[in-house]
Amino acid sequence: MNGSLTWQMLRDLKTSEFTQAGDKWHEVSARSASDRAQVDRAMSAKLRETQESDSAEAALGRLRRLSRNFQYVQTECGLVRTALNGLAGDLADPQNQLKQALEDAASLNFTVHEDGSVSYPAVKVDDLTGKKQEAPGGSSTTGSSRLPLEPPGLGSPGRQSLYPGYAGFSPVNPNAEKAQDVADRIARAVRSAREIDARYAKTLNGLRAEKGLDVTAATLKDVFRDTADVRSTAGMHLAESVPEDKSPAERKKWWDGLAEEQRQEYLKIAPDLIGGLDGIPALVRDEANRNYLPVLIDELARQGGDDAKTKLDALRMIQDKLGESSHPPMFLLGVGDEGNGRAIVSYGNPDASRHVAAYVPGLGTKLDGDFVEDTMKRAHDTAKGARRIDPSSAAIIWLGYDAPQNVDVMTKGDAQRGAPAYNEFMAGLSATNANEDPHVTAIGHSYGSLTVGTAAKESGGIPGVDDVILLGSPGVDAQRATELGVGKDHVFVGAADNDPVTHLPTKGESALAAGPALLFGGPEGARRANDLFDVGNDDLYFGKDPASESFGAQRFEVDKGPRMVLEAGKFEAHSHYFEPEKDRESAANIARIVGGRPEEIVREKHR
């Protein structure tokens, strides 16, 4: 702790000098970035194109070293700038507290001394007989927890009283308590400023480069540590400016209003603060999450445990996919380790596309290898199919909530918690899409259809959504398609005959009362399988069967799928809707709806 900082220094401090110095460091950072680009794109590239010799290779080696030097200067100077801005921002609060205390002291005619103690004048007070008595002035005790005139204890020598006129008693000056409050506030402000000063001094000293530093690949890895140090020190300053409690439209306005150097601070220093923020443009979220992904991977690697390993393996798989070529291109719109894991991936830029679909997965989904290999592929297949209808199409997989992991814990709770988050995400898409009137489709598969249905029934419905697709649904907590807010002609349903989830009986029916073993248990389950396929009953686990005539949606053709194998707990028909290799007609119908040609779907009779 820096004990040399006084209240006078804090009072007179010009925090603008820190930000002005930060601007100078930013200029150096920006020049280094420009110089690095010149080395890489002009000098090195030209040399590779025109020269093939040992001397050319030696020159390229020196240019690579120069590029690393510029990269190091660019990053480290940017970190210094962020730290200085954070220091200025963090010191503003204790400085304001100090100035308010000093103003209060002046208004009360108190005197603040060099050591922070506060003197107060004598004052006339009334005794119990109504006569005026003079209460003497005095001085507060700096940082004391006891008022200067507070009685030491009942009956003790020196006890003071409000009863003047008696030997050993004198009136209490009401200014004493006020002066002590002012002194305590001054002490707290200085103590807080000293702590801030010490914290930033340590971080800034850590950014000091040694003379003659050779910037190697190992040195660049140290930048990661420096970035983490600056984030831990200045992160609160950056976080305070993020409008988390605002609407996605207001967040976009905030982001658009930032200077480029401010945006770079968030992208480089605190990418997790904006990577999952609805209302931030997709390109920005993608860059932020790509920057944050190695940090999250490193954190999970240090945690240990089966759950962390499952998420860690999945994130490494996502990282690998981000490094591969993808058509349409892959955008990482969100990632996190909370709950069962979070991942939001778009195939195609959702801000530039005229047609955008956001798919909510369901039962058993979590951030694991199956999610990366299978669930993400469903969004990829949807995007590819829709782009054959209209090249300006994108499809998103939205794992922004915790889906139930097995049927025996399947309640409405997860959907009710997930629906508001989904609606906020969709509002963000509306705020950032560059098209005047984009066509947006909400897709819910399995339990995800309940989440979409719950979101659609919230006040105002799902923001910006034109069409709703329900696949393999156990019900959406609605009796009619008209309850979903887009009109029954814009609610589309795919339900395979051999998909048991689309036949789940209500909670009150005897088949479900037999428990999950009836679905997945041995010979007894097999003998009673027909109880699950009560096709004459159009009430499902979560309301009316969306594929039924009484629900009133548009049912499209899907393959009936493989028959369920109860003994093995396999019901593959539940997972084939998106895959053209396994259900060509279903995938084509989904693509037609997402791509803006719902009139071309192949229809199927209601149940």
Side-chain angles (χ1 to χ4, degrees):
M1 180 178 296
N2 183 0
S4 63
L5 179 65
T6 65
W7 68 263
Q8 296 94 332
M9 294 170 63
L10 180 59
R11 176 198 60 193
D12 299 335
L13 180 69
K14 293 181 174 60
T15 57
S16 61
E17 294 180 352
F18 292 129
T19 57
Q20 290 167 4
D23 291 342
K24 296 298 183 182
W25 284 98
H26 171 68
E27 290 177 10
V28 177
S29 178
R31 285 201 304 269
S32 298
S34 176
D35 291 342
R36 183 190 176 205
Q38 182 73 9
V39 169
D40 292 345
R41 298 174 187 172
M43 300 171 66
S44 296
K46 192 68 174 177
L47 190 60
R48 278 192 295 268
E49 291 172 4
T50 60
Q51 302 291 324
E52 290 185 11
S53 65
D54 291 342
S55 59
E57 282 301 317
L60 282 171
R62 290 192 292 272
L63 286 172
R64 282 192 293 269
R65 179 180 178 181
L66 182 60
S67 177
R68 286 197 305 268
N69 290 344
F70 282 133
Q71 180 183 358
Y72 180 79
V73 172
Q74 174 196 352
T75 303
E76 294 290 295
C77 289
L79 292 175
V80 172
R81 188 250 186 192
T82 298
L84 289 172
N85 283 349
L87 176 59
D90 286 352
L91 283 174
D93 190 43
Q95 186 182 54
N96 289 336
Q97 292 173 8
L98 170 68
K99 288 182 176 180
Q100 185 60 58
L102 294 175
E103 288 176 9
D104 291 346
S107 68
L108 294 167
N109 200 27
F110 294 169
T111 301
V112 180
H113 299 285
E114 187 173 343
D115 64 353
S117 61
V118 179
S119 297
Y120 52 92
V123 66
K124 296 287 187 179
V125 297
D126 292 335
D127 63 15
L128 292 179
T129 66
K131 293 181 179 180
K132 293 289 185 180
Q133 297 287 335
E134 182 173 285
S139 180
S140 67
T141 303
T142 306
S144 171
S145 61
R146 183 176 67 82
L147 297 179
L149 297 183
E150 182 181 5
L154 184 63
S156 62
R159 174 172 169 77
Q160 296 169 336
S161 171
L162 288 175
Y163 302 98
Y166 293 88
F169 291 88
S170 60
V172 173
N173 191 326
N175 284 325
E177 183 175 356
K178 297 176 183 178
Q180 187 64 59
D181 175 66
V182 170
D184 288 344
R185 287 157 57 197
I186 291 172
R188 283 196 298 270
V190 172
R191 184 166 58 248
S192 175
R194 287 174 177 172
E195 291 171 352
I196 292 168
D197 178 53
R199 189 168 74 247
Y200 276 92
K202 180 180 179 181
T203 298
L204 287 166
N205 284 331
L207 297 176
R208 191 192 304 272
E210 298 177 5
K211 289 184 178 180
L213 175 68
D214 184 17
V215 180
T216 64
T219 308
L220 293 179
K221 288 183 179 179
D222 287 341
V223 172
F224 178 81
R225 182 200 61 211
D226 291 340
T227 302
D229 289 343
V230 172
R231 167 62 199 276
S232 64
T233 302
M236 185 176 297
H237 164 67
L238 293 173
E240 286 174 351
S241 301
V242 178
E244 291 189 3
D245 58 342
K246 301 296 184 180
S247 70
E250 290 172 313
R251 293 170 188 160
K252 181 179 185 299
K253 184 177 180 180
W254 165 77
W255 180 260
D256 290 344
L258 293 179
E260 180 59 28
E261 56 266 25
Q262 292 175 304
R263 295 177 186 174
Q264 289 302 316
E265 280 184 343
Y266 283 103
L267 286 168
K268 300 294 190 262
I269 309 300
D272 56 310
L273 294 179
I274 58 170
L277 197 64
D278 299 318
I280 301 299
L283 288 172
V284 176
R285 291 179 68 163
D286 178 64
E287 182 178 352
N289 287 311
R290 287 173 187 254
N291 290 342
Y292 176 53
L293 187 57
V295 179
L296 184 57
I297 287 174
D298 183 65
E299 290 175 354
L300 286 171
R302 287 186 275 107
Q303 283 183 21
D306 292 340
D307 180 64
K309 186 180 185 307
T310 296
K311 295 171 182 173
L312 176 62
D313 291 344
L315 292 176
R316 284 173 171 162
M317 293 168 69
I318 290 175
Q319 189 175 48
D320 289 342
K321 285 187 176 293
L322 288 169
E324 300 169 356
S325 176
S326 174
H327 302 283
M330 181 177 169
F331 295 81
L332 187 60
L333 304 183
V335 66
D337 62 347
E338 57 266 40
N340 293 326
R342 301 287 186 265
I344 306 172
V345 177
S346 179
Y347 291 95
N349 185 343
D351 291 349
S353 300
R354 287 191 297 271
H355 304 277
V356 182
Y359 148 49
V360 183
L363 184 65
T365 308
K366 62 181 180 180
L367 186 59
D368 59 7
D370 287 341
F371 172 82
V372 180
E373 293 297 333
D374 298 330
T375 313
M376 283 173 51
K377 181 180 180 298
R378 296 170 188 171
H380 196 189
D381 285 338
T382 298
K384 289 188 292 185
R387 285 165 76 93
R388 284 191 285 269
I389 305 296
D390 188 327
S392 183
S393 298
I396 300 165
I397 169 66
W398 183 84
L399 182 59
Y401 81 123
D402 284 329
Q405 294 304 295
N406 47 66
V407 72
D408 59 320
V409 295
M410 196 166 65
T411 68
K412 295 179 184 179
D414 289 322
Q416 291 167 344
R417 287 182 287 272
Y422 181 68
N423 277 347
E424 183 147 311
F425 175 75
M426 299 303 275
L429 292 182
S430 295
T432 57
N433 191 284
N435 294 279
E436 185 175 347
D437 186 21
H439 169 242
V440 180
T441 305
I443 304 176
H445 173 238
S446 185
Y447 184 90
S449 67
L450 175 63
T451 304
V452 168
T454 304
K457 291 174 64 180
E458 285 198 334
S459 177
I462 303 174
V465 163
D466 302 285
D467 295 312
V468 173
I469 301 176
L470 309 173
L471 302 166
S473 177
V476 295
D477 197 26
Q479 298 300 306
R480 298 287 186 273
T482 52
E483 297 177 39
L484 302 188
V486 293
K488 66 177 184 178
D489 292 339
H490 293 275
V491 179
F492 301 88
V493 177
D497 289 342
N498 287 331
D499 180 355
V501 175
T502 69
H503 298 285
L504 279 177
T506 64
K507 295 180 181 180
E509 293 176 339
S510 60
L512 188 61
L518 178 61
L519 280 175
F520 311 116
E524 176 62 18
R527 283 194 298 273
R528 300 181 60 189
N530 287 336
D531 291 343
L532 290 175
F533 295 89
D534 185 7
V535 295
N537 183 353
D538 60 4
D539 288 319
L540 296 182
Y541 198 81
F542 292 117
K544 192 69 66 179
D545 181 359
S548 68
E549 185 173 6
S550 59
F551 189 78
Q554 311 300 308
R555 188 183 183 194
F556 58 81
E557 184 175 337
V558 303
D559 189 85
K560 66 180 181 180
R563 292 183 62 83
M564 182 173 63
V565 182
L566 287 173
E567 292 87 343
K570 292 182 178 180
F571 44 106
E572 295 181 4
H574 186 57
S575 304
H576 288 184
Y577 296 100
F578 297 90
E579 302 179 47
E581 305 90 348
K582 296 179 179 178
D583 193 339
R584 180 181 299 274
E585 198 57 60
S586 176
N589 282 324
I590 293 171
R592 291 166 185 140
I593 299 166
V594 173
R597 295 184 188 173
E599 69 279 1
E600 297 180 5
I601 64 170
V602 178
R603 300 179 184 275
E604 188 168 351
K605 290 182 179 180
H606 293 105
R607 287 176 174 170

